[in-house]
Amino acid sequence: MDTTSGPVESTAPPAESGPAALRRTLHQRGLRMTPQRQLVLDAVRELGHATPEQICTQVQQAAPAVNITTVYRTLDLLERIGLVRHTHLGHGAPTYSEQEHQHVHLVCHSCGTVTESPTDLMDGLAQRLLAESDFVLDPSHVALSGRCRECRDEEGASR
Amino acid sequence: MDTTSGPVESTAPPAESGPAALRRTLHQRGLRMTPQRQLVLDAVRELGHATPEQICTQVQQAAPAVNITTVYRTLDLLERIGLVRHTHLGHGAPTYSEQEHQHVHLVCHSCGTVTESPTDLMDGLAQRLLAESDFVLDPSHVALSGRCRECRDEEGASR
DNA sequence: TTATCTGCAAATATTTTGCAAGGTA
DNA sequence: TACCTTGCAAAATATTTGCAGATAA
């Protein structure tokens, strides 16, 4: 990790989005604006939730020469400066999305479908955790796992 | 996956544990008892939560020739027959534990510490998910992510 | 005896690192 | 110009697969 080390503080991103905003956010920290960084950020926004691999594919449609290494490094950097975040949906690679894209993920471990729910679903739990365990919950970082209705119905029928 | 495919039903394991119980459970499904399978199951029980790598290391203390491949295949099989389960604690490899070992995992994404809490912590959430989304929550399959008190205090002090 | 299992090697997949060339400010 | 970034190749990690020989039943 060479380009990403050093005192890069993680503060709140600017309210606007777009090329100028990204440039400013980068410059504030002594980082440079590059086409690759804009493309990766655009891809994250367009794809919603995507693995580094998927993001790379998307970016390469506009700029085929961009290397997956750059995608990894850029996602890392964008996360550190607070523009994107990653979520573990269970198996497989983490997925990246916009920082603002906050909600609870429900993953069916039968069919793999990912559903999104508002984060206030976790409010009660978050309060309990804070009170009982002094633990500040990040409700959107990991997915909740279980079984969706479709899979439950199927299983119920076949048993 | 050759030894593990086929119609292996996932029913409840027997109440007792031990070599005889494992043998019986395997034979019920036309599978064979082997020293490796017992060793892997023992390691899972001894280690509590462990990655395939850690389990392999543990097994190899008793039987150095056991290959990591066998550990992966065996964990897969033991999971399919309901004796072990795996949990995603966030980054890194999944960890395996006994099926009975059910609780909610709280992972601090600053320091990585894993805390365990009783699953009834999630009861309210589980009910809401069932009512609102027809989603049957598996409270122990994925960890909850957040920040533990120690890390919050440190961060608060440095800011 | 026979089908299941295992160990080994190799293939995949994912992510990281070193480094020289290229690009931004 | 200075040094941040990128692309490429290679390394490091994690997991899976093919297959021949070993083994349980």
Side-chain angles (χ1 to χ4, degrees), chain B residues 11-75:
Chain B
T11 11
E16 338 86 87
S17 60
L22 175 58
R23 168 166 269 120
R24 184 153 9 96
T25 305
L26 289 167
H27 286 186
Q28 277 172 4
R29 300 156 201 267
L31 303 171
R32 293 178 180 174
M33 177 61 158
T34 69
Q36 290 89 337
R37 287 173 179 179
Q38 185 67 57
L39 287 166
V40 169
L41 182 55
D42 290 345
V44 169
R45 287 173 171 160
E46 283 162 37
L47 296 174
H49 272 286
T51 62
E53 190 72 36
Q54 294 170 324
I55 290 164
C56 188
T57 302
Q58 171 83 5
V59 167
Q60 288 177 340
Q61 289 182 11
V66 174
N67 196 277
I68 181 102
T69 303
T70 301
V71 173
Y72 276 107
R73 286 191 284 223
T74 303
L75 288 171

Side-chain angles (χ1 to χ4, degrees), chain A residues 10-13 29 77-84 99-100:
Chain A
S10 169
T11 13
R29 300 158 201 265
L77 180 142
L78 293 176
E79 183 157 40
R80 211 130 20 72
I81 64 179
L83 294 179
V84 308
Q99 178 65 255
E100 289 71 27

Side-chain angles (χ1 to χ4, degrees), chain A residues 12-45 73-84 98:
Chain A
E16 337 86 89
S17 61
L22 177 56
R23 168 165 271 121
R24 185 156 6 98
T25 305
L26 291 168
H27 285 185
Q28 278 171 5
R29 300 158 201 265
L31 303 170
R32 291 178 181 176
M33 175 65 158
T34 68
Q36 289 92 337
R37 287 173 179 178
Q38 185 67 55
L39 287 166
V40 169
L41 182 55
D42 290 346
V44 169
R45 287 174 171 159
R73 286 192 283 223
T74 303
L75 288 171
D76 216 48
L77 180 142
L78 293 176
E79 183 157 40
R80 211 130 20 72
I81 64 179
L83 294 179
V84 308
E98 289 185 79

Side-chain angles (χ1 to χ4, degrees), chain B residues 1 6-7 9 11 13 25-26 29 37-38 42 47 57 62 70 76-77 83-84 99 108 114-115 142 146 156-157 159:
Chain B
M1 204 198 299
E9 292 293 312
T11 11
T25 305
L26 289 167
R29 300 156 201 267
R37 287 173 179 179
Q38 185 67 57
D42 290 345
L47 296 174
T57 302
T70 301
D76 216 49
L77 179 142
L83 295 180
V84 308
Q99 179 65 256
C108 174
V114 180
T115 313
V142 290
R159 268 190 183 167

